[in-house]
Each structure stands twice: as structure tokens, then as C-alpha cells.
Amino acid sequence: MTPSIEPAPSPGLPSKWKLAQTTAIAVAVAAVILIAFVLPAEYGVDPLRTGRALGLTRMAAPLPIDEPPPSAGGQVLAPVQNGPIGVYPADYKIDSAQFVLGPYEFVEYKYHLEQGATMLYAWKGTAAVLHDFHGEKDSARGEAVSFEKRERRQGSGVFTAPFTGIHGWYWENPGGETITVSLNSAGFYSTAIELRSDRTRHPHELTTPGGMAPPGIK
Amino acid sequence: MDHTIVRLPRNALDRPGSWLALVVTAWSLAAVVLDAHGVSTRDGRFLQTVNGAAIAPLMYLGAKHMVTGYDHLLFLVGVVFFLYRSRDILLYVSLFTIGHSITLLAGALGGVRADPYLVDAVIGLSIVYKGFENLGGFKAVLGWQPDTRAAVLVFGLVHGLGLATKLQDFALSRSGLTANIVSFNIGVEIGQVLALTAVLIALTYWRTHGSYLRHAYVTNAALMAAGFVFVGYQLTGYFIAQ
């Protein structure tokens, strides 16, 4: 390899002292950037409180790990099959909810259903959203079983829970404009939970047909 | 490799302006490095739905990863910083390409899993290494310099391991696995050519100005700082994940 520029004569080399200084400066600059900005934003590690002051720590909100399963709440609505009829011990419930999703925001909305319990649903977005209809067993929380995963603008159907657990949708705005997703459902579910982009959880109130407040649910 | 030696300007880093330049450059470099990490979650979800060969999407993702994957790009900037002739550039970039292709293909096909944090920390160190080498650090400290070609090849292997690990984070389906991994690799090379072209255009333009060599020292020091940020970021992630 012939150098195309003149090899630097040895006086061009930095002194060891200069190099040590430069390296120390590089490390110091890196440390300040890391500790003041990167660690708070990425991991929520915030020794200088700069992350909190700048609102960076919010970006590192921990993922929900081993979240407690929403309790079956109220009566267990498990069907007993009698020929073509699934007999339930109590009334079904109805629910309608709306979710406003800014660009790249997502929401998860799930109902607790016993194995074999059914619901009827229809949802629609003001634009196409990334969508994953899935469930998680009460016994294996965190392991999502996907029933359908694709980009959709709407969906409707009848769902029979293949296992006891929470079942519902993941909707994500793929970017662009704000999208509103509206959901209506009726079914033998006992609770509903909303999980937002900021990882906060919000139980929803369910109503029984006829507007009577269901016993045991606030 | 004499051509990788920076002539130390008199008073480098002695003026306040240089300090500001160092901090600003390091910060912006670090910002893009961090943003570059990994394949985005949306692409990740897409990858999990892929069943069978998806040549064009995987090529696109490979190219996208390279064009937006500044950890690889910063290393390349360090590599070509003092390369002026296209023959040299071709040689070094080929060594890097051979290195990362070997480990990307072997790692992803053979299912070799390395800890992504540790691999990325070493990738950060490769940026520090190249910046330090460009400063003439090894010559000044050791009196000699490890062969740059060998270093580029070895760090190429590490970068490939990082690429393989990232691809493995997504459970790719068994069907069409080979075609998909090879497509990803080809996409990586396409992205590298595109990004390198942009880098070289910018460097060539900058080289016509006297400021190039004057700021070479600060630029490579900033490269080191960005590498250190990346190392710290990855090591912290490693210990937090334990």
C-alpha cells in the first residue's frame, strides 16, 4: 500500500501526554452524554436527575412484567353445553370503547373469558391499523397466542375462547395521522382491561343489557 | 499504514471553539448511534409473520439496517477517513464486507448466539479503536501500529456477529431461512454501498477545504467519544438485563 498522502513525519504524531488527554476527554464527554441523557432515556437510570428534568425517563418506562392477571371479577361465566345451546350461569355483558391513537401509538384491549365462552365483536378504525387478535392463558401470562395478525381497518366476528384467559386486540397506528378505533362487543366475559402505549393499565366498566349495573362490578 | 496518521495541529483542543466542536460532534454522533440500534419493532413484527422466502423485504431490511445503522457507518467513516485512493477504499471495505458476511451467514444459519449487548459493546470499541488509530495513537504509544487490514477484518467479523444476533432476535420461520438470510446479507451490502457513497461524497467535498486536516484530530476524538457512549450504553444494558 503506497500512501497517497505524505506519511506524517514523527513530529506530526501526538505526544503520549496529548493522547492520554484526548482519550480522557473523549471518555469524559462520553460519560456525561451517557449519564445525563442516554441512561435515563434508555434504562430509566437517572443519577443526576437530568432525565426527570428533561422528561427522558418516561421513555424508559419499564415493560409490564408478570402483571397480575385481571381477576375473573364477579361471576365466572363458563358455559355448560346442552346440545346446540351453551348455557351460562348469568347474563352476558355489552361493551363499547373508543381508542385514539397518535402516530405509532398502540393500545391493547382484552376481555377475560373462560374456556368455551363466546363473544360477538365488531371494530373499525378511521384508517388501517396494525392489528393482532390474541389471547394469553391465565396459567401462562406473557405468552401471547395469536389468532390473527395483519394490517386491517376493521374486523368483526364471533369468538370462542380456546382457553381461559384474557383475549383481545392489539392495535397500532402505523404512523401518519391520528386514528380512532371503535369497538362494540357483547359476550360472556367478566372483565375488560386497557393497556396503553405508556404501559398504564385501565380497567373498563362493563354493562349488562338493559342498563342494569351488574352485581359485584364497580 | 502511514496514511492513517493525523498530523497533530498546533493548539489542537486548546481553543474553546474546538472543545465545543468536540462536544457537539460527539453528541450528534452518539445520538445517531443510539437511534441506529436494532431493527425497529414494527419491522420485527413483520419478520415474525414472514413464512417462506421473502427476498425483496429481507433485502430492503438489510439495506435499511445499514443505511440507518450508524454503528456500522461510524466504523466505516473511521476506516475511510484517511483513504484517498479508490483502490485502498475498495480493499478496506472489501475486508470489512468479507468479515461481516462470514459471521452474518455462519451465525444466522448455524444459529450461533452471542449476547447482543456484549457484541454491540465490542462494535462500539471498534469505533474507539479506529478513532484512536486515526489519531496516530498506536504509533505514538507502542511505536508501531497493528496491521489496519487485520483490524478491519477482525472487527468486520464482530460486526457480522452483531447483524446475525439482531436477525436472530426475530424467530424467522424455518422455511426459506437460507434465502432470507442471504437476502438480508445482500441488502446489507447494497445499503453499505449507498451509505458509503454518501460518506465519500461528503468527505471528498470536505477534503477540498483546508479545514479537513485541521479538524481531523477533533473529528477522530469525537469518533472515539461516540464509540465510548455506545460501549457504555451496551454494557449498562448488559448489567441491567442480568
Side-chain angles (χ1 to χ4, degrees):
Chain A
M1 303 283 306
T2 330
S4 329
I5 58 165
E6 281 303 300
S10 28
L13 280 178
S15 68
K16 285 182 192 177
W17 167 239
K18 190 89 208 172
L19 267 173
Q21 232 182 345
T22 305
T23 308
I25 291 166
V27 171
V29 168
V32 168
I33 292 172
L34 256 178
I35 295 168
F37 308 111
V38 177
L39 298 188
E42 300 291 335
Y43 304 118
V45 176
D46 193 17
L48 304 178
R49 301 262 164 248
T50 45
R52 231 168 74 189
L54 298 170
L56 292 173
T57 32
R58 270 179 306 168
M59 298 168 70
L63 300 173
I65 304 161
D66 290 337
E67 53 196 41
S71 59
Q75 210 163 352
V76 174
L77 300 173
V80 176
Q81 215 60 36
N82 177 15
I85 308 167
V87 180
Y88 289 85
D91 247 341
Y92 64 90
K93 294 185 176 64
I94 53 177
D95 184 33
S96 77
Q98 281 208 333
F99 309 97
V100 179
L101 300 174
Y104 304 108
E105 278 185 344
F106 66 83
V107 68
E108 283 194 71
Y109 193 64
K110 287 173 185 158
Y111 295 111
H112 193 277
L113 288 149
E114 297 294 316
Q115 183 169 10
T118 52
M119 68 168 167
L120 202 66
Y121 68 88
W123 65 267
K124 195 171 188 172
T126 51
V129 286
L130 300 167
H131 143 267
D132 183 6
F133 189 11
H134 64 287
E136 282 176 37
K137 287 179 194 172
D138 277 351
S139 54
R141 202 44 72 92
E143 289 172 35
V145 179
S146 190
F147 310 128
E148 192 200 49
K149 193 181 331 198
R150 51 179 277 214
E151 191 156 322
R152 265 179 175 281
R153 179 150 183 197
Q154 55 191 311
S156 60
V158 183
F159 175 76
T160 305
F163 46 79
T164 298
I166 49 173
H167 305 268
W169 299 267
Y170 169 94
W171 290 294
E172 184 188 310
N173 184 338
E177 293 174 16
T178 296
I179 298 174
T180 305
V181 174
S182 312
L183 167 75
N184 285 296
S185 75
F188 291 96
Y189 38 66
S190 47
T191 53
I193 190 93
E194 176 188 348
L195 182 70
R196 295 190 191 143
S197 292
D198 61 5
R199 300 282 166 188
T200 54
R201 306 167 57 80
H202 307 269
H204 278 227
E205 269 182 48
L206 301 169
T207 47
T208 43
M212 280 156 51
I217 295 185
K218 282 163 267 169
Chain B
M1 295 290 123
D2 285 327
H3 56 287
T4 58
I5 300 301
V6 181
R7 212 180 284 261
L8 179 66
R10 244 177 268 279
N11 304 326
L13 293 182
D14 288 351
R15 282 158 299 157
S18 306
W19 280 89
L20 190 65
L22 174 63
V23 172
V24 169
T25 320
W27 166 240
S28 43
L29 290 182
V32 290
V33 166
L34 297 167
D35 194 43
H37 188 55
V39 185
S40 75
T41 49
R42 194 182 155 192
D43 291 339
R45 266 202 301 281
F46 162 76
L47 283 178
Q48 283 171 339
T49 65
V50 169
N51 191 9
I55 290 170
L58 266 292
M59 274 175 66
Y60 177 80
L61 283 182
K64 178 178 168 182
H65 180 78
M66 212 57 189
V67 172
T68 59
Y70 293 90
D71 45 346
H72 310 296
L73 289 182
L74 281 182
F75 183 68
L76 279 175
V77 168
V79 168
V80 300
F81 197 86
F82 285 109
L83 297 180
Y84 285 72
R85 300 192 320 172
S86 36
R87 219 189 76 192
D88 294 351
I89 293 168
L90 197 66
L91 173 73
Y92 281 87
V93 172
S94 301
L95 284 170
F96 183 63
T97 303
I98 291 166
H100 71 231
S101 295
I102 288 173
T103 38
L104 168 57
L105 293 175
L109 287 172
V112 179
R113 273 204 72 82
D115 187 285
Y117 289 115
L118 294 184
V119 173
D120 283 338
V122 178
I123 289 177
L125 274 183
S126 72
I127 301 169
V128 174
Y129 179 98
K130 201 64 192 89
F132 189 71
E133 190 194 85
N134 286 353
L135 294 179
F138 292 107
K139 274 230 160 130
V141 173
L142 304 173
W144 62 286
Q145 184 164 296
D147 193 323
T148 308
R149 284 165 294 191
V152 168
L153 182 65
V154 168
F155 283 128
L157 292 170
V158 178
H159 281 246
L161 204 56
L163 290 165
T165 308
K166 238 141 267 165
L167 198 53
Q168 284 171 316
D169 280 347
F170 307 105
L172 288 176
S173 76
R174 297 300 304 172
S175 70
L177 186 67
T178 310
N180 285 341
I181 290 170
V182 172
S183 305
F184 186 80
N185 195 357
I186 293 171
V188 162
E189 308 318 332
I190 293 171
Q192 180 176 292
V193 168
L194 291 175
L196 203 61
T197 308
V199 165
L200 285 173
I201 288 171
L203 284 186
T204 307
Y205 177 74
W206 191 16
R207 278 167 183 166
T208 62
H209 292 71
S211 64
Y212 189 70
L213 288 178
R214 211 165 53 240
H215 293 156
Y217 195 85
V218 149
T219 306
N220 281 289
L223 212 55
M224 281 177 73
F228 278 128
V229 171
F230 201 59
V231 172
Y233 167 51
Q234 296 300 335
L235 285 183
T236 311
Y238 175 75
F239 287 113
I240 284 178
Q242 291 302 299

